């Protein structure tokens, strides 16, 4: 029997037909799979309907170090709304890209390699300046998952515990939409906790969708646990119209005095921001107190040692572009990260990434691109980030992947931005690089 070394569980593929609850948006999703191993990967992809039945399966091979794009998804019919499980005989990483209403909305997220019995969602919204959230919860186990949801108000709204326990079949996902949930209040800005009450592992991915003049979509993955420190590879303020907001949730048992320390890389001065977050609550941090441009990284700490999780929103309101990523536990940083999708002038799309030194000593990073002789290197002090933009750097039409390594046992994390140079819609996406 072939041994499954990595199962990239819960690439929650949100492929739905237009429905009023989602603001008449038609979603399509593609995904990219990268082989991190040393041999040819035999990859099996299984699509699940929300009722738990298998919609389709597909098996492909991917050479060592290479990646493969799956878009459009010809294996499932139009109107498919479900999830996928990807398995391989070699280590793999995968990301999903969501598109809505033909170039109006776009977002990206990373696939999971494991689930947990509790999932934390730091930013949930209802009627917040045109934004609503909806999330999919996927069963990452082998038996039925019994799932409950509790919402905690932050700046606005009502605390609410959903009285229903939902059953989710193995491999399948269920959609939870906050727009029609009046119990949250006329305006809700807060967080949520999803719990599997019978011990089956689950995962979740959240979509923040703005309509009208706020026509953007930002996607992030739910967190399976927290850490007393969180690192954020990219923070922007007044950067070509982009600003950053950081939603931090205290998942501990007591209050936390939380400080976000901002470290400049390409522009700006060091800064700090401190707020008290109650147990189970959340607060939003931003750089609105600055009057000049900032590009850099961030580090979240609290002297009480409470476990925290954070999601970073990058938003350009004037251009209707937005993207989100999840903060990193520095203890999970490694000396190597992979980026399954890198682009240079690919039908107007290009990528840019930020690599942060999450360790305590200076390290040298080296960047290698698949099927390219182009390389990069940089020296990073602790907490410092290196930003690279691929537009015009590799080759016109380039679609591939990248690997970043740190010397001397350095510890790094990274995120990747995807952007279309000219389209007027929200063609701005971001995903977390994979540590391995």
């Amino acid at each position: 029997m072939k041994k499954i070394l990595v199962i990239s569980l819960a690439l929650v593929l949100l492929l739905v037909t237009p429905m009023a609850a989602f603001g008449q948006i038609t979603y399509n999703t593609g995904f990219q799979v990268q082989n991190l191993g040393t041999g040819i990967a035999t990859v099996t992809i299984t699509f699940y309907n929300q009722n738990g039945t298998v919609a389709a399966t597909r098996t492909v091979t991917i050479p060592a170090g290479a990646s493969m794009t799956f878009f459009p998804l010809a294996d499932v019919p139009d109107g498919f709304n479900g999830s996928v499980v990807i398995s391989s005989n070699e280590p793999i990483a995968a990301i999903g890209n969501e598109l809505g209403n033909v170039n109006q909305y776009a977002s990206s997220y990373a696939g999971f390699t494991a689930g947990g019995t509790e999932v934390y969602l730091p930013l949930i919204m209802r009627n917040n300046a045109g934004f609503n959230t909806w999330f999919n919860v996927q069963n990452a186990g082998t038996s039925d998952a019994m799932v409950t949801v509790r919402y905690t108000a932050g700046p606005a709204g009502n605390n609410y515990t959903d009285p229903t326990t939902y059953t989710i079949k193995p491999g399948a996902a269920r959609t939870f939409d906050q727009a029609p949930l009046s119990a949250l209040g006329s305006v809700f800005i807060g967080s949520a906790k999803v719990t599997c009450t019978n011990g089956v592992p689950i995962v979740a991915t959240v979509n923040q969708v703005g309509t009208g003049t706020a026509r953007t979509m930002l996607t992030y993955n739910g967190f399976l646990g927290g850490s007393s420190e969180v690192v954020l590879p990219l923070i922007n303020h007044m950067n070509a119209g982009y600003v950053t907001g950081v939603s931090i949730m205290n998942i501990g048992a007591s209050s936390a005095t939380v400080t976000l320390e901002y470290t400049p890389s390409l522009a700006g001065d060091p800064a700090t921001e401190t707020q008290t977050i109650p147990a189970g609550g959340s607060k939003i941090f931003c750089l609105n107190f600055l009057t000049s441009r900032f590009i850099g990284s961030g580090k979240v700490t609290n002297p009480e040692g409470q476990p925290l999780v954070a999601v970073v929103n990058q938003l350009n309101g004037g251009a209707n572009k937005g993207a989100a990523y999840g903060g990193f536990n520095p203890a999970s940083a490694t000396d190597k990260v992979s980026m399954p999708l890198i682009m240079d002038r690919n039908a107007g799309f290009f990528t840019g990434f930020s690599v942060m030194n999450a360790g305590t000593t200076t390290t040298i990073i080296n960047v290698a691109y698949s099927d390219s002789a182009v390389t990069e290197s940089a020296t990073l002090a602790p907490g410092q980030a290196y930003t690279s933009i691929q537009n015009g750097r590799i080759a016109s039409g380039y679609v591939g992947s990248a690997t970043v390594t740190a010397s001397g046992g350095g510890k790094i994390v990274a995120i990747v931005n995807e952007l279309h140079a000219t389209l007027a819609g929200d063609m701005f996406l971001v995903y977390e690089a994979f540590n391995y």
Side-chain angles (χ1 to χ4, degrees), residues 157-172:
N158 303 322
N159 295 334
Y160 174 66
T161 299
D162 191 327
T164 303
T165 297
Y166 299 91
T167 301
I168 304 176
K169 295 292 184 181

Side-chain angles (χ1 to χ4, degrees), residues 235 237-238 243-244 260-262 269-275 284-294:
I235 301 288
H237 182 68
M238 298 177 66
V243 296
T244 299
L260 176 48
E261 179 181 358
Y262 302 97
D269 299 312
T272 60
E273 186 177 0
T274 300
Q275 297 188 60
I284 297 175
F285 291 66
C286 60
L287 283 167
N288 286 346
F289 57 89
L290 291 184
T291 58
S292 59
R293 181 171 176 243
F294 180 92

Side-chain angles (χ1 to χ4, degrees), residues 86-98:
I86 305 172
S87 61
S88 171
N89 64 325
E90 291 283 342
I92 55 173
I95 63 165
N97 281 348
E98 296 180 64

